[in-house]
Amino acid sequence: MFIYYLNRIRNSNLIILILADTALIIFAFFISILLRYDLYFPSELTFTLEKKFIAGLIFLKIFSFRAFNLYRGMWRYTSIFDMIRIVKSNLVASFLFSLVVYFIYSFDGYSRAVFVFDFVFCTTLIGSSRVGIRLFFSNIIFSDNKSLNKKDVI
């Protein structure tokens, strides 16, 4: 099983997609904090800058995305069902992450609205990246090939 995933990573752009998702997850989380606290980063939330905190967030989200099969198949054929899976997986990951923060930090000085904002922004960004890939392949790549095969009729 491990060999299958190792070969898959080497033979596809999966690693690029995971890195892009990681960047979008981090971006969505920090934008959520900044928007909740009116573009000010409170000193009580400095624990969110720790490597283990960010690594936990990334691990939970990527693991949830993997559990909901977001990294399988061809991304150029993204459908509405993929968008539903993105919402479900992000909902599960955000819920699990809020539980982890509750049990470790007990929401001390931490607004729960950040999790709602993070869910909305992360869902939007991850969904937009998938739709962007589909638009790229369906409109840019394949439209050039179609125009080469057309003949002008006078």
Side-chain angles (χ1 to χ4, degrees):
M1 185 107 181
F2 178 73
I3 301 297
Y4 167 76
Y5 288 113
L6 189 61
N7 288 333
R8 190 163 173 231
I9 287 173
R10 278 189 293 179
N11 296 331
S12 71
N13 293 327
L14 178 66
I15 195 74
I16 295 171
L17 187 64
I18 290 174
L19 289 174
D21 284 352
T22 301
L24 292 175
I25 289 166
I26 294 170
F27 180 72
F29 181 70
F30 284 110
I31 288 296
S32 301
I33 291 175
L34 290 175
L35 286 178
R36 166 55 186 94
Y37 294 103
D38 299 325
L39 301 179
Y40 171 74
F41 199 86
S43 60
E44 312 72 69
L45 297 182
T46 55
F47 67 89
T48 60
L49 298 175
E50 295 175 4
K51 290 179 185 177
K52 63 181 178 180
F53 187 87
I54 295 172
L57 172 68
I58 293 168
F59 175 76
L60 279 174
K61 294 258 183 175
I62 297 293
F63 179 76
S64 178
F65 293 167
R66 174 64 189 100
F68 280 87
N69 294 325
L70 291 183
Y71 296 120
R72 295 186 97 190
M74 303 279 290
W75 303 302
R76 66 179 71 176
Y77 303 118
T78 300
S79 66
I80 193 69
F81 298 111
D82 295 320
M83 295 299 123
I84 292 170
R85 286 192 314 206
I86 288 172
V87 171
K88 287 178 184 178
S89 66
N90 207 1
L91 186 64
V92 168
S94 294
F95 177 72
L96 290 176
F97 189 66
S98 65
L99 284 178
V100 167
V101 170
Y102 174 72
F103 286 123
I104 294 175
Y105 301 105
S106 69
F107 292 131
D108 190 29
Y110 197 82
S111 175
R112 283 157 299 290
V114 171
F115 296 113
V116 176
F117 288 156
D118 177 57
F119 167 73
V120 170
F121 292 137
C122 192
T123 301
T124 303
L125 289 172
I126 298 294
S128 298
S129 72
R130 300 303 196 274
V131 170
I133 291 170
R134 178 177 176 152
L135 289 174
F136 176 76
F137 280 106
S138 66
N139 292 333
I140 295 174
I141 299 295
F142 294 125
S143 66
D144 292 341
N145 293 339
K146 290 177 185 175
S147 65
L148 293 175
N149 296 333
K150 290 184 179 178
K151 296 180 181 178
D152 293 333
V153 178
I154 301 178

Coordinates of all heavy atoms in Angstrom, one line a residue, residues 66-124:
R66 N -7.9 13.6 2.7 CA -7.5 12.3 2.2 C -8.6 11.3 2.5 O -8.9 10.4 1.7 CB -6.2 11.9 2.8 CG -5.7 10.5 2.5 CD -5.5 10.2 1.0 NE -5.3 8.8 0.8 CZ -6.2 8.0 0.3 NH1 -7.4 8.5 0.0 NH2 -5.9 6.8 0.1
A67 N -9.2 11.4 3.8 CA -10.2 10.4 4.2 C -11.5 10.6 3.3 O -12.2 9.6 3.1 CB -10.6 10.7 5.6
F68 N -11.7 11.8 2.8 CA -12.9 12.0 1.9 C -12.5 11.9 0.4 O -13.3 12.3 -0.4 CB -13.5 13.3 2.2 CG -14.4 13.3 3.4 CD1 -13.9 13.6 4.7 CD2 -15.8 13.1 3.3 CE1 -14.6 13.6 5.8 CE2 -16.6 13.1 4.5 CZ -16.0 13.3 5.7
N69 N -11.4 11.3 0.1 CA -10.9 11.0 -1.2 C -10.8 12.3 -2.1 O -11.2 12.2 -3.3 CB -11.9 10.0 -1.9 CG -11.8 8.6 -1.2 OD1 -10.7 8.3 -0.8 ND2 -12.9 7.9 -1.2
L70 N -10.3 13.4 -1.6 CA -10.2 14.5 -2.4 C -8.9 14.5 -3.3 O -8.8 15.3 -4.2 CB -10.1 15.8 -1.5 CG -11.4 16.2 -0.8 CD1 -11.2 17.5 0.0 CD2 -12.5 16.3 -1.8
Y71 N -8.0 13.6 -3.0 CA -6.8 13.5 -3.7 C -6.8 12.3 -4.7 O -5.8 11.9 -5.2 CB -5.6 13.3 -2.8 CG -5.4 14.6 -2.0 CD1 -5.5 14.5 -0.6 CD2 -5.2 15.8 -2.5 CE1 -5.3 15.6 0.2 CE2 -5.1 16.9 -1.8 CZ -5.1 16.8 -0.4 OH -4.9 18.0 0.4
R72 N -8.0 11.8 -5.0 CA -8.1 10.7 -5.9 C -8.7 11.2 -7.2 O -9.5 12.2 -7.2 CB -9.0 9.6 -5.4 CG -8.4 8.9 -4.2 CD -9.2 7.7 -3.8 NE -8.6 6.6 -4.4 CZ -9.2 5.4 -4.4 NH1 -10.4 5.2 -3.9 NH2 -8.5 4.4 -4.9
G73 N -8.4 10.6 -8.3 CA -9.1 10.9 -9.6 C -8.4 12.1 -10.3 O -7.3 12.6 -9.9
M74 N -9.0 12.5 -11.3 CA -8.5 13.5 -12.2 C -9.1 14.9 -11.7 O -10.4 15.0 -11.7 CB -8.8 13.2 -13.6 CG -8.4 11.9 -14.1 SD -6.6 12.0 -14.6 CE -6.7 13.0 -16.1
W75 N -8.3 15.8 -11.4 CA -8.8 17.1 -10.9 C -9.4 17.9 -12.0 O -10.2 18.8 -11.7 CB -7.7 17.8 -10.2 CG -7.1 17.0 -9.1 CD1 -7.8 16.5 -8.0 CD2 -5.8 16.5 -8.9 NE1 -7.0 15.7 -7.2 CE2 -5.7 15.8 -7.8 CE3 -4.7 16.7 -9.7 CZ2 -4.6 15.2 -7.4 CZ3 -3.5 16.1 -9.3 CH2 -3.5 15.4 -8.1
R76 N -9.1 17.6 -13.2 CA -9.6 18.4 -14.3 C -11.1 18.1 -14.5 O -11.8 18.7 -15.3 CB -8.9 18.1 -15.6 CG -9.0 16.7 -16.1 CD -8.2 16.5 -17.4 NE -6.8 16.6 -17.1 CZ -5.9 16.4 -18.0 NH1 -6.2 16.1 -19.3 NH2 -4.6 16.4 -17.7
Y77 N -11.6 17.0 -13.9 CA -13.0 16.6 -14.0 C -13.8 16.9 -12.7 O -14.7 16.1 -12.3 CB -13.2 15.2 -14.4 CG -12.5 14.9 -15.7 CD1 -11.4 14.0 -15.7 CD2 -12.8 15.5 -16.8 CE1 -10.7 13.7 -16.9 CE2 -12.2 15.2 -18.0 CZ -11.1 14.3 -18.0 OH -10.5 14.1 -19.2
T78 N -13.4 17.9 -12.0 CA -14.1 18.3 -10.7 C -15.6 18.5 -11.0 O -15.9 19.2 -11.9 CB -13.4 19.6 -10.1 OG1 -12.1 19.3 -9.9 CG2 -14.1 20.0 -8.8
S79 N -16.4 18.0 -10.1 CA -17.8 18.1 -10.2 C -18.4 18.7 -8.9 O -17.8 19.0 -8.0 CB -18.4 16.7 -10.5 OG -18.3 15.9 -9.4
I80 N -19.7 18.8 -8.9 CA -20.4 19.3 -7.8 C -20.3 18.3 -6.6 O -20.3 18.7 -5.4 CB -21.9 19.6 -8.1 CG1 -22.6 20.4 -7.0 CG2 -22.7 18.3 -8.3 CD1 -22.1 21.8 -6.9
F81 N -20.1 17.0 -6.9 CA -19.9 16.0 -5.8 C -18.6 16.2 -5.1 O -18.5 16.0 -4.0 CB -20.1 14.6 -6.4 CG -21.4 14.3 -7.0 CD1 -21.6 14.2 -8.3 CD2 -22.5 14.3 -6.1 CE1 -22.9 13.9 -8.9 CE2 -23.8 14.0 -6.6 CZ -24.0 13.9 -8.0
D82 N -17.6 16.7 -5.9 CA -16.3 17.0 -5.3 C -16.4 18.2 -4.4 O -15.8 18.3 -3.3 CB -15.3 17.2 -6.4 CG -15.0 16.0 -7.2 OD1 -14.9 14.9 -6.6 OD2 -14.8 16.1 -8.4
M83 N -17.2 19.2 -4.8 CA -17.5 20.3 -3.9 C -18.2 19.9 -2.6 O -17.8 20.4 -1.5 CB -18.3 21.4 -4.6 CG -17.6 22.0 -5.8 SD -16.1 22.8 -5.4 CE -15.0 22.0 -6.4
I84 N -19.1 19.0 -2.7 CA -19.8 18.5 -1.5 C -18.8 17.8 -0.6 O -18.8 17.9 0.6 CB -21.0 17.6 -1.9 CG1 -22.1 18.4 -2.6 CG2 -21.5 16.9 -0.7 CD1 -23.2 17.6 -3.2
R85 N -17.9 17.0 -1.2 CA -16.9 16.3 -0.4 C -15.9 17.3 0.2 O -15.4 17.1 1.4 CB -16.1 15.3 -1.3 CG -16.9 14.1 -1.6 CD -16.1 13.0 -2.2 NE -15.2 13.5 -3.2 CZ -14.7 12.8 -4.2 NH1 -15.0 11.6 -4.3 NH2 -14.0 13.3 -5.1
I86 N -15.6 18.4 -0.4 CA -14.8 19.4 0.2 C -15.4 20.0 1.4 O -14.8 20.2 2.4 CB -14.4 20.5 -0.9 CG1 -13.4 19.9 -1.9 CG2 -13.8 21.8 -0.2 CD1 -13.2 20.8 -3.1
V87 N -16.7 20.3 1.3 CA -17.5 20.9 2.4 C -17.5 19.9 3.6 O -17.2 20.3 4.7 CB -18.9 21.3 2.0 CG1 -19.7 21.7 3.2 CG2 -18.9 22.4 1.0
K88 N -17.8 18.6 3.3 CA -17.9 17.6 4.3 C -16.5 17.4 5.0 O -16.4 17.4 6.2 CB -18.3 16.3 3.8 CG -19.8 16.2 3.4 CD -20.1 14.8 2.8 CE -21.5 14.7 2.3 NZ -21.7 13.4 1.7
S89 N -15.5 17.3 4.2 CA -14.2 17.1 4.8 C -13.7 18.3 5.6 O -13.1 18.1 6.7 CB -13.2 16.7 3.7 OG -12.9 17.8 2.9
N90 N -14.0 19.4 5.1 CA -13.5 20.6 5.9 C -14.4 20.8 7.1 O -13.8 21.3 8.1 CB -13.7 21.9 5.0 CG -12.7 22.9 5.4 OD1 -11.9 22.8 6.3 ND2 -12.7 24.0 4.6
L91 N -15.6 20.4 7.1 CA -16.5 20.5 8.3 C -15.9 19.6 9.4 O -15.8 19.9 10.5 CB -17.9 20.2 7.9 CG -19.0 20.3 9.0 CD1 -19.1 21.8 9.4 CD2 -20.3 19.8 8.5
V92 N -15.6 18.3 9.0 CA -15.1 17.4 9.9 C -13.7 17.9 10.5 O -13.5 17.8 11.7 CB -14.9 16.0 9.3 CG1 -14.1 15.0 10.1 CG2 -16.3 15.4 9.0
A93 N -12.8 18.3 9.6 CA -11.5 18.8 10.0 C -11.6 20.0 11.0 O -10.9 20.1 12.0 CB -10.7 19.1 8.8
S94 N -12.5 20.9 10.7 CA -12.7 22.1 11.5 C -13.3 21.7 12.9 O -12.8 22.3 13.9 CB -13.6 23.1 10.8 OG -13.0 23.6 9.7
F95 N -14.2 20.8 12.9 CA -14.8 20.3 14.1 C -13.7 19.6 15.0 O -13.6 19.9 16.2 CB -15.9 19.4 13.9 CG -16.5 18.8 15.1 CD1 -17.3 19.6 16.0 CD2 -16.3 17.5 15.4 CE1 -17.8 19.1 17.1 CE2 -16.8 17.0 16.6 CZ -17.6 17.8 17.5
L96 N -12.9 18.7 14.4 CA -11.9 18.0 15.1 C -10.8 19.0 15.6 O -10.3 18.9 16.7 CB -11.2 17.0 14.2 CG -12.1 15.8 13.9 CD1 -11.3 14.8 12.9 CD2 -12.5 15.0 15.2
F97 N -10.5 20.0 14.8 CA -9.5 21.0 15.2 C -10.0 21.8 16.4 O -9.2 22.1 17.3 CB -9.0 21.8 14.1 CG -7.9 22.7 14.4 CD1 -6.6 22.1 14.7 CD2 -8.0 24.1 14.4 CE1 -5.5 22.9 15.0 CE2 -6.9 24.8 14.8 CZ -5.7 24.3 15.0
S98 N -11.3 22.2 16.3 CA -11.8 22.9 17.5 C -11.8 22.1 18.7 O -11.6 22.6 19.8 CB -13.2 23.5 17.1 OG -14.1 22.4 17.0
L99 N -12.1 20.8 18.6 CA -12.0 19.9 19.8 C -10.6 19.9 20.4 O -10.4 19.9 21.6 CB -12.5 18.5 19.5 CG -14.0 18.3 19.3 CD1 -14.3 16.9 18.9 CD2 -14.7 18.7 20.6
V100 N -9.6 19.8 19.5 CA -8.2 19.7 19.9 C -7.9 21.0 20.7 O -7.2 21.0 21.7 CB -7.3 19.5 18.7 CG1 -5.8 19.7 19.1 CG2 -7.5 18.0 18.2
V101 N -8.2 22.1 20.1 CA -7.9 23.4 20.7 C -8.7 23.5 22.0 O -8.1 24.0 23.0 CB -8.3 24.6 19.8 CG1 -8.2 25.9 20.5 CG2 -7.4 24.6 18.6
Y102 N -9.9 23.0 22.1 CA -10.6 23.1 23.4 C -10.0 22.2 24.4 O -9.8 22.7 25.6 CB -12.1 22.6 23.1 CG -12.8 22.5 24.4 CD1 -13.2 23.6 25.1 CD2 -13.1 21.3 25.0 CE1 -13.9 23.5 26.3 CE2 -13.8 21.1 26.2 CZ -14.2 22.3 26.8 OH -14.9 22.2 28.0
F103 N -9.5 21.0 24.1 CA -8.9 20.2 25.1 C -7.5 20.6 25.5 O -7.1 20.4 26.7 CB -9.0 18.7 24.7 CG -10.3 18.1 24.7 CD1 -10.9 17.5 23.6 CD2 -11.1 18.1 25.9 CE1 -12.1 17.0 23.6 CE2 -12.3 17.5 25.9 CZ -12.9 17.0 24.8
I104 N -6.8 21.2 24.6 CA -5.4 21.6 24.9 C -5.4 23.0 25.5 O -4.7 23.2 26.5 CB -4.5 21.5 23.7 CG1 -4.4 20.0 23.3 CG2 -3.1 22.1 24.0 CD1 -3.6 19.8 22.0
Y105 N -6.1 23.9 24.9 CA -6.0 25.3 25.3 C -7.3 25.8 26.0 O -7.3 27.0 26.4 CB -5.7 26.2 24.1 CG -4.4 25.9 23.4 CD1 -4.4 25.2 22.2 CD2 -3.2 26.2 24.0 CE1 -3.2 24.8 21.6 CE2 -2.0 25.9 23.4 CZ -2.0 25.2 22.2 OH -0.8 24.8 21.6
S106 N -8.3 25.1 26.0 CA -9.6 25.4 26.6 C -10.2 26.7 26.1 O -10.8 27.4 26.9 CB -9.5 25.3 28.1 OG -8.8 26.4 28.6
F107 N -10.0 27.1 24.9 CA -10.5 28.3 24.3 C -10.1 29.5 25.1 O -10.9 30.5 25.1 CB -12.0 28.2 24.1 CG -12.4 27.3 23.1 CD1 -13.5 26.4 23.3 CD2 -11.9 27.3 21.8 CE1 -13.9 25.5 22.4 CE2 -12.3 26.4 20.8 CZ -13.3 25.5 21.1
D108 N -9.1 29.5 25.8 CA -8.7 30.6 26.7 C -8.3 31.8 25.8 O -7.2 31.8 25.2 CB -7.6 30.2 27.6 CG -7.3 31.2 28.7 OD1 -8.2 32.0 29.1 OD2 -6.1 31.3 29.2
G109 N -9.1 32.8 25.7 CA -8.8 34.0 24.9 C -9.0 33.8 23.4 O -8.5 34.6 22.7
Y110 N -9.6 32.7 23.1 CA -9.7 32.3 21.7 C -11.2 32.3 21.3 O -12.0 31.6 21.9 CB -9.1 30.9 21.5 CG -8.7 30.5 20.1 CD1 -7.6 30.9 19.6 CD2 -9.6 29.7 19.4 CE1 -7.2 30.5 18.3 CE2 -9.3 29.4 18.1 CZ -8.1 29.8 17.5 OH -7.8 29.4 16.3
S111 N -11.5 33.0 20.3 CA -12.9 33.1 19.8 C -13.2 31.9 19.0 O -12.5 31.5 18.1 CB -13.1 34.4 19.0 OG -14.3 34.4 18.5
R112 N -14.4 31.4 19.2 CA -14.8 30.2 18.4 C -15.3 30.6 17.0 O -15.4 29.8 16.1 CB -15.9 29.5 19.2 CG -15.3 28.7 20.3 CD -16.2 28.3 21.4 NE -16.8 29.2 22.3 CZ -16.2 30.0 23.2 NH1 -14.9 30.0 23.3 NH2 -16.9 30.7 24.0
A113 N -15.5 31.9 16.8 CA -15.8 32.4 15.5 C -14.7 32.2 14.5 O -14.9 32.1 13.3 CB -16.2 33.9 15.6
V114 N -13.5 32.1 15.0 CA -12.3 31.9 14.1 C -12.5 30.5 13.4 O -12.2 30.4 12.2 CB -11.0 31.9 14.9 CG1 -9.8 31.4 14.1 CG2 -10.8 33.3 15.5
F115 N -13.1 29.5 14.1 CA -13.3 28.2 13.4 C -14.3 28.3 12.3 O -14.2 27.6 11.3 CB -13.7 27.2 14.5 CG -12.6 26.9 15.5 CD1 -12.8 27.3 16.8 CD2 -11.4 26.4 15.1 CE1 -11.8 27.1 17.7 CE2 -10.4 26.1 16.0 CZ -10.6 26.5 17.4
V116 N -15.3 29.1 12.6 CA -16.4 29.3 11.5 C -15.8 30.0 10.3 O -16.0 29.6 9.2 CB -17.6 30.1 12.1 CG1 -18.6 30.3 11.0 CG2 -18.2 29.3 13.3
F117 N -15.1 31.1 10.6 CA -14.4 31.8 9.5 C -13.4 30.9 8.7 O -13.4 30.9 7.5 CB -13.7 33.1 10.0 CG -14.6 34.2 10.5 CD1 -14.1 35.1 11.4 CD2 -15.8 34.3 10.0 CE1 -14.9 36.1 11.8 CE2 -16.7 35.3 10.4 CZ -16.2 36.3 11.3
D118 N -12.7 30.1 9.5 CA -11.7 29.2 8.9 C -12.4 28.2 8.0 O -12.0 27.9 6.9 CB -10.9 28.5 9.9 CG -9.9 27.5 9.3 OD1 -9.1 27.9 8.5 OD2 -10.0 26.3 9.7
F119 N -13.5 27.7 8.5 CA -14.3 26.7 7.7 C -14.7 27.4 6.4 O -14.6 26.8 5.3 CB -15.5 26.2 8.5 CG -16.5 25.5 7.6 CD1 -16.2 24.2 7.2 CD2 -17.7 26.1 7.3 CE1 -17.1 23.5 6.4 CE2 -18.6 25.4 6.5 CZ -18.3 24.1 6.1
V120 N -15.3 28.6 6.4 CA -15.8 29.2 5.2 C -14.7 29.6 4.3 O -14.7 29.3 3.1 CB -16.6 30.5 5.6 CG1 -16.9 31.3 4.4 CG2 -17.8 30.1 6.4
F121 N -13.6 30.2 4.8 CA -12.5 30.6 3.9 C -11.8 29.4 3.3 O -11.4 29.4 2.1 CB -11.5 31.5 4.6 CG -12.1 32.8 5.0 CD1 -11.9 33.4 6.2 CD2 -12.9 33.5 4.1 CE1 -12.4 34.6 6.6 CE2 -13.4 34.7 4.4 CZ -13.2 35.3 5.6
C122 N -11.5 28.4 4.1 CA -10.8 27.2 3.7 C -11.6 26.4 2.6 O -11.1 26.0 1.6 CB -10.4 26.3 4.8 SG -9.3 25.0 4.4
T123 N -12.9 26.3 2.9 CA -13.8 25.6 1.9 C -13.8 26.4 0.6 O -13.7 25.8 -0.5 CB -15.2 25.5 2.5 OG1 -15.2 24.8 3.7 CG2 -16.2 24.9 1.5
T124 N -13.9 27.7 0.7 CA -13.9 28.5 -0.5 C -12.6 28.4 -1.3 O -12.6 28.3 -2.5 CB -14.2 30.0 -0.2 OG1 -15.5 30.1 0.5 CG2 -14.3 30.9 -1.4

